[in-house]
Amino acid sequence: MEKIHISETKYTPEIILDPFDRNIKIRGSSYPENTFEFYHETMDWIEEFLKEESEKPIIVELEIAYFNSSSSKLLFDFFTLFEDAQDEGRDIQIYWKYNIENDYGKESGEEFQEEFDTLNFNLVVVN
Amino acid sequence: MINLLDAHNILEQDGIFFSFSGRVTQTVLVGLGSAIESKLQDLHVPRRTITDIFSIFTEQMQNMINYAKDHDNLGLFIMGYSKKRERYFVGSGNYIDEEDIPNITQKLGKLQVMSKSELKDFYLQTRRDDRDVENEGAGLGLIEIARRASEPIEYEIAEKGEHMFFQIIAYI
């Protein structure tokens, strides 16, 4: 699998998908015009990557300052993939990062944490 | 000659300080969104309130963008501060098909009577159940607006000639 790097724009986040470091990183704001189209490649990559049998941990870092409702749905779908992969034996560590002043970053992280309570979901405050 | 200042004064009477009329696109959304954010920062509005306003603005604009895709629609948008209610407001309006009215009024009616915690549960449930990837989460957007608004969403549907005009306003 190849490494993918999508640059940040005003309304779409930076995405780094690294199969060698086993790292999935999404950082920035997310309110694309067509959310499912924007994340299509990322979704396919993650699905493919999670199929590879390995016990080495996969690190997922999410630092999304603002996301709209359809991005929220998409994040939900990502977490569903991670949950399924974990059931298949993958070791997945999720780090949900939010700025200390961003109440919503914290609350939305907590809502995902509650929804996916079997995942290794860590809330991380960033100054 | 058209008097721009008269038009401005009419808007100002209602506390409106941002308005848009035309076809809403993602570019319009991003530009207006930045302008609104900096204006609110200049006014020293708390960060949480700015996020609420920005989020409601984005959901309303994207609903209009998505609806306009098959309707070649006129989109109207206003944002301002109501001295009477002591709240910021975000409103938008567009023409809609008569056949879409029952669905939207039913959705909004349901949201209007929900408490904050009911809205949260409904949001989570809709996000869980909504398997229709094609609809861009239209239902979720309205719930998001309701969750972030300080009062129930207000809406109005009016007959304009052969068309129906729909508008919603959220107070923050």
Side-chain angles (χ1 to χ4, degrees), chain B residues 106-147:
Chain B
Q106 192 212 342
K107 267 185 193 161
L108 286 166
K110 197 171 164 185
L111 298 177
Q112 279 175 331
V113 294
M114 282 188 177
S115 67
K116 284 284 170 218
S117 74
E118 284 169 332
L119 284 168
K120 179 188 169 179
D121 291 344
F122 188 45
Y123 179 89
L124 296 180
Q125 184 208 322
T126 307
R127 189 168 66 181
R128 234 176 274 141
D129 298 344
D130 187 5
R131 290 270 152 231
D132 183 6
V133 289
E134 290 302 313
N135 83 13
E136 277 289 310
L140 210 53
L142 283 178
I143 311 172
E144 179 81 40
I145 294 171
R147 280 188 82 183

Side-chain angles (χ1 to χ4, degrees), chain B residues 69-82:
Chain B
K69 271 178 190 156
D70 4 273
H71 292 81
D72 193 19
N73 228 315
L74 164 75
L76 299 178
F77 157 79
I78 52 161
M79 200 242 129
Y81 182 79
S82 161

Side-chain angles (χ1 to χ4, degrees), chain A residues 10-11 31-36 66 68-70 72-73 76-77 101 103-104 107 111-112 114-115, chain B residues 26 29-30 34 47-48 52 54-55 58-59 62 65 123 127-128 130 133 136 140-141 147-148:
Chain A
K10 180 100 188 149
Y11 55 95
Y31 52 109
E33 179 169 6
N34 187 331
T35 310
F36 295 95
Y66 168 72
N68 68 351
S69 60
S70 46
S72 161
K73 172 64 186 156
F76 184 93
D77 294 345
E101 288 170 28
D103 298 348
Y104 280 115
E107 284 164 28
E111 281 178 12
F112 280 121
E114 280 169 39
E115 287 282 276
Chain B
Q26 180 76 8
L29 187 171
V30 174
S34 300
R47 182 169 171 156
R48 195 181 174 108
D52 286 331
F54 184 80
S55 173
T58 305
E59 297 299 337
Q62 290 190 323
I65 293 171
Y123 179 89
R127 189 168 66 181
R128 234 176 274 141
D130 187 5
V133 289
E136 277 289 310
L140 210 53
R147 280 188 82 183
R148 291 182 179 246

Side-chain angles (χ1 to χ4, degrees), chain A residues 87-98:
Chain A
D87 290 344
E88 299 279 317
R90 306 290 170 276
D91 177 0
I92 300 171
Q93 303 291 327
I94 295 167
Y95 297 91
W96 179 272
K97 300 181 177 179
Y98 62 92

